[in-house]
């Protein structure tokens, strides 16, 4: 059996394959750890067809049309369709409650055999992380002078544009422009890069202590405005991959409340040019510069 150890968010998951290891997405390469490491979970990828009891007996039900999560005895069963309305199951996983042990199946198409975790991975990791006080957040992130900054917002808010601007700042390390992991530690929060930032290409497996949260929006003039805790929590909640099950959802809300309470959050309206990075760097340095109101 081939064993691949993947480390994301500081947690290692062992992926066990019968026979020869298939390829993973290229973006996973920086997140591969030494196989001798101690995993926090072991997931077995099966080459056999879907077993009896895995296929859904009824059409998929919201919250999202392509996937569903159901209880099967003491296990969680994850089902994923290839596209909305597809009559056939594409990928599935049966996991213990903490996702420490589990099995994964895919259909027999060549793509599924080569990239068995494609699209299923974020669904599984979202539920794996929340058991360990972590969340996947729709955000860009960077490390500057040893401190981490999270930049969130809905599609079109400017995460990719802002990441491109930050990429030109000396001493700035990008941790992502689309999805990052937010993890509670013993002394606060930490943000981690992930393999799920396709526009940046493969990123290094890196992290930084969280020093600030910024909610982006395009604006004609640069402006940084501090947010109250309740507003910061609401904005974070809207940009977090929430597991849709009551115990996990409650844990996610608790984690976001702690992040909003323990980390300064601001609204950041910016122009798409160098003046925006000058404004931001002045703001985090506590110096006057471009308007920071």
């Amino acid at each position: 059996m081939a064993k691949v150890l993947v480390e994301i968010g500081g947690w290692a998951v062992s992926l066990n394959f019968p026979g020869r290891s298939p390829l993973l997405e290229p973006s996973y390469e920086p997140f591969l750890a030494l196989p001798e490491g101690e995993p926090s979970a072991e997931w077995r990828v099966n080459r056999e067809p879907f077993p009896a009891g895995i296929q859904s007996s009824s059409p998929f039900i919201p919250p999202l049309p392509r996937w569903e999560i159901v209880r099967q005895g003491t296990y969680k069963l994850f089902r994923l369709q290839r596209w909305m309305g597809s009559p056939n199951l594409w990928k599935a996983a049966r996991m213990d409650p903490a996702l420490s042990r589990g099995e994964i199946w895919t259909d027999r198409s060549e793509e599924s055999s080569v990239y068995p975790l494609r699209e299923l991975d974020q669904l599984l990791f979202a539920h794996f992380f929340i058991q360990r006080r972590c969340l996947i957040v729709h955000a860009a992130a960077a490390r500057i002078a040893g401190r981490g900054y999270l930049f969130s917002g809905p599609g079109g808010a400017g995460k990719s544009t802002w990441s491109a601007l930050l990429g030109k700042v000396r001493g700035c390390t990008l941790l992502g422009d689309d999805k990052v992991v937010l993890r509670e530690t013993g002394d606060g929060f930490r943000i981690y890069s992930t393999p799920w930032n396709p526009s940046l290409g493969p990123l290094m497996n890196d992290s930084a202590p969280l020093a600030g949260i910024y909610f982006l929006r395009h604006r004609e003039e640069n402006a940084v405005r501090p947010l109250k805790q309740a507003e910061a929590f609401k904005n974070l909640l809207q940009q977090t991959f929430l597991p849709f099950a009551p115990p996990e959802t409650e844990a996610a809300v608790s984690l976001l409340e702690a992040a909003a309470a323990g980390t300064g959050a601001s609204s950041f309206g910016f122009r798409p040019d160098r003046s925006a990075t000058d404004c931001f760097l002045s703001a985090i340095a506590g110096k006057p510069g471009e308007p920071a109101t």
Side-chain angles (χ1 to χ4, degrees):
M1 178 172 290
K3 173 180 171 182
V4 176
L5 202 63
V6 174
E7 183 183 294
I8 306 173
W11 297 101
V13 173
S14 176
L15 303 173
N16 300 328
F17 302 91
R20 182 172 59 89
S21 295
L23 296 174
L24 294 176
E25 300 278 7
S27 60
Y28 268 89
E29 291 182 6
F31 297 85
L32 300 181
L34 294 176
E36 296 77 19
E38 186 67 26
S40 301
E42 293 189 5
W43 300 346
R44 184 177 186 271
V45 180
N46 294 283
R47 296 193 186 280
E48 296 81 14
F50 296 113
I54 294 297
Q55 287 274 12
S56 177
S57 59
S58 60
F60 280 19
I61 301 171
L64 292 181
R66 288 190 59 216
W67 57 264
E68 67 174 355
I69 305 169
V70 297
R71 297 282 180 179
Q72 191 177 72
T74 60
Y75 295 97
K76 288 181 179 178
L77 183 59
F78 299 80
R79 298 188 182 110
L80 179 67
Q81 294 172 301
R82 185 185 293 272
W83 59 79
M84 185 174 64
S86 171
N88 300 318
L89 186 61
W90 184 31
K91 300 183 181 184
R94 184 168 56 201
M95 300 278 167
D96 69 12
L99 277 77
S100 298
R101 297 287 185 276
E103 295 186 90
I104 295 170
W105 293 270
T106 72
D107 68 10
R108 299 295 85 205
S109 70
E110 180 180 352
E111 177 189 306
S112 293
S113 299
V114 175
Y115 296 128
L117 295 185
R118 177 175 287 169
E119 294 193 45
L120 182 64
D121 51 4
Q122 293 179 50
L123 180 60
L124 293 180
F125 270 102
H127 284 257
F128 170 80
F129 284 143
I130 193 56
Q131 307 291 336
R132 294 154 181 86
R133 299 293 287 174
C134 302
L135 288 167
I136 300 173
V137 181
H138 186 213
R143 185 180 64 240
I144 301 172
R147 298 189 295 178
Y149 299 93
L150 191 72
F151 308 96
S152 191
K159 292 183 294 297
S160 296
T161 301
W162 176 241
S163 296
L165 291 171
L166 280 181
K168 300 175 183 179
V169 174
R170 179 178 297 180
C172 173
T173 299
L174 293 178
L175 301 178
D177 75 339
D178 191 55
K179 293 183 181 68
V180 297
V181 169
L182 174 67
R183 176 178 176 180
E184 187 177 41
T185 64
D187 56 353
F189 285 83
R190 198 168 186 91
I191 47 177
Y192 291 78
S193 55
T194 74
W196 309 311
N197 294 277
S199 63
L200 289 179
L203 289 170
M204 294 301 296
N205 186 358
D206 208 347
S207 68
L210 182 62
I213 301 172
Y214 294 83
F215 297 99
L216 299 174
R217 60 192 178 102
H218 291 288
R219 189 169 170 171
E220 292 184 2
E221 297 296 333
N222 302 309
V224 178
R225 177 178 63 87
L227 297 178
K228 293 181 179 180
Q229 180 180 330
E231 192 174 0
F233 165 74
K234 181 187 74 173
N235 289 343
L236 268 179
L237 185 66
Q238 293 171 348
Q239 302 306 322
T240 299
F241 195 140
L242 294 175
F244 289 94
E248 289 87 352
T249 302
E250 292 166 5
V253 168
S254 170
L255 186 64
L256 292 175
E257 287 176 336
T263 308
S266 301
S267 169
F268 181 28
F270 72 99
R271 293 167 50 89
D273 56 36
R274 181 175 173 177
S275 68
T277 56
D278 291 341
C279 172
F280 174 72
L281 294 175
S282 294
I284 63 174
K287 299 175 182 179
E290 295 290 330
T293 58

